[in-house]
Amino acid sequence: MSIINATNIHRRFGEGELEAHILKGIDFSAEAGEFVAIMGKSGAGKSTLMYQLSVLDDPSEGEIIIDNVDVLKLSEHERTRFRLNTLGYIFQNYALVPDLTAEENVFLPLLMRGRDWKEAKEIARAMIDEVGLNDKYTNLPAELSGGEQQRVSVARAMAGKPKILFADEPTANLDSVHSAQIIDLITEFNKKLNQTIVMVTHEREYAMGCDRIIHMEDGVIIDIEKLR
Amino acid sequence: MRSLRIGFLLGMRQIQRASLWTNILIVFVMALTFLNLIAVSGVLVGLITGAERAVRAESLGDIIITERDDQNNILETESIIRQIKTYPEIETYAVRYIGAGRLEANYKERRDLSGERDIAQVTVTGIDPIQEDTMSHLSDNMLEGEYLDPNEEGYILIGYYYLQEASDKFGDIFDSLSNIKPGVTVRMTVGDISKEFIVKGIVQSKVDEVSLNTYITEKEFRRLFGRIDRNADRITIRVADNVSEDSVKATLIESGLGQYAKIQTFEEGKPKFITDIKNTMNLLGTFIGSIGIIVASITIFIIIFINALSRRSQIGILKGIGIERKAIEIAYVLQAAFYALAGSACGALLTYGFLLGYFERNPIKFPFSDGILVAPPDETFLRFLVLFAVTLIAGFLPAWMIVRQNTLNSILGRK
């Protein structure tokens, strides 16, 4: 059964002659536990598609059902709650809060979910251990390397055990060694927690562990490659 | 509750990780605002409070006994004094006889009898010099010459404002006499009776009632004014330390003295204009302080706005990962609250730890009073609450403006 079901998604920016039609009627679905990669050249619309699917942006047209919820009908507050409880994110630029330590970055969404301080801290530390940073709990993001920051970002995304994880070019700013580590972590969590993962990437090498690769070009899906 | 918890964490960490100098600068600005709010009105009110204190110390005392509205003098003055002496709560007192007379100077040197005479209409106060000095320390106000001796007769003390030189400074609003200095002879006329006095000294004080007065001994006053009944016009009382004026007043009334005279505490008996000026000064200080509040709120607004704007992407990410808007707004309001609290605490410390004591020891010398700094804790707290509330709003608004922007646009830094 599809956990993500998006139909006829259009996204336009600007108006009149300046209008840019980025997504041109995309249909997308993902099964629970599926690992899907979205690939394409720059400007193909892959990140824009991911923003629509991850409830960070509103399509100009179309319908998106996630986990049986018509997300476009949710209020701003309900969307925030939905993102908190159902979705996880890994951003290209790590997107950690610079003022918070590694463990605070990880337990922040857990506190928002209502976990108590001690419990949230324990879970956060366990997650940081899992991504191999057990000596960096109290380090600030600025005190971590790019690879380490992205691992904290993975830990934060996974700590709440979201049903769906969205990863927007998670290896874009990392060297090959760290990139491989991050992809391994994501793949491991996908298997262990049976999470649905939607990952945007440029590099085919890192998409090879996925179940499916969706190829985009100029705002449309041009090919769907099934790997498993 | 969750939002509060997260807002608290985010806010605290932002303050913690902010540059120390930035924090110090903002707290300094808030401390100055607090001082502006407290000290400006405090000094303005302090001018009047200084004058009020001087009037209490040098003239009216803590309790004032005057004639009843239907009488000309205090009835049974001597029995009142006898009773007053029995109360240990009363530290000291002074009996005053007050009248109006005409004082003439330079009449001996006057050659042209058709010319203008050097005359001043003056207030004359008859005192027991020792008793009066114990009560009001009148001898401390001697500008020139010497204080009255109770065993001598024919001497007078003249208030500085009756001197020509003072009159020139004050725009000639009082009657004045020229060439007055200790040793010269003046003539006092009351009704048909005239008596010559030698000027023993000139008294000057910031209390008008002292500088605009003449003092002779009570014996001579009674003779000059024909007051054979010994009924005085005013008895001023200084109560002992830590004794309430109200309780002493109540005791005096309970003992039946109310039937002979009007008994008032200083607060009741002080001239109403003092309270009126004080209120006006307070209002003026509040107005000036309000401008300070507006400036501070704009400062906080700009600081928080720049802070939130520079963290716009971070705010977007926080919203993206599910942190509620309210929590993010609380974080910024908390920062504003911290700056307001820290600034006010520094300001309060400076005010109560240093400025109050400093101005008490070194009052600001004004022509009409020695100004002190007045900052009653309850009023200070009220002003702090206003400053705090305004700062919170100034912190909330920019955060609200930034946080309500589109989440994705914030994350990507798009307009």
Side-chain angles (χ1 to χ4, degrees), chain B residues 55 58-61 64 96 98 123 125 132 138 159 161-162 203 205-215 234 236 269 271:
Chain B
V55 169
E58 297 177 26
S59 175
L60 297 184
I64 312 130
R96 292 179 195 149
I98 302 167
T123 301
T125 303
E132 180 64 43
L138 183 60
Y161 289 169
Y162 289 131
V203 284
S205 161
K206 287 176 180 174
V207 176
D208 286 359
E209 207 177 289
V210 175
S211 287
L212 207 55
N213 213 333
T214 59
Y215 296 90
R234 183 183 292 169
T236 56

Side-chain angles (χ1 to χ4, degrees), chain B residues 68-85:
Chain B
R68 285 168 51 120
D69 292 339
D70 55 350
Q71 297 294 330
N72 293 324
N73 314 110
I74 301 167
L75 303 177
E76 302 296 334
T77 298
E78 291 197 307
S79 68
I80 290 177
I81 293 168
R82 272 198 299 278
Q83 203 152 345
I84 283 173
K85 285 179 180 171

Side-chain angles (χ1 to χ4, degrees), chain A residues 108-124:
Chain A
L108 195 69
L110 299 173
L111 288 179
M112 194 77 239
R113 283 180 170 208
R115 301 267 191 175
D116 70 44
W117 200 275
K118 191 168 168 251
E119 192 187 6
K121 198 167 179 173
E122 278 170 6
I123 296 171

Side-chain angles (χ1 to χ4, degrees), chain A residues 170-190:
Chain A
T171 58
N173 294 329
L174 302 177
D175 60 34
S176 56
V177 176
H178 287 113
S179 296
Q181 286 173 349
I182 294 299
I183 295 300
D184 286 349
L185 275 173
I186 294 172
T187 311
E188 191 186 320
F189 279 119
N190 165 246

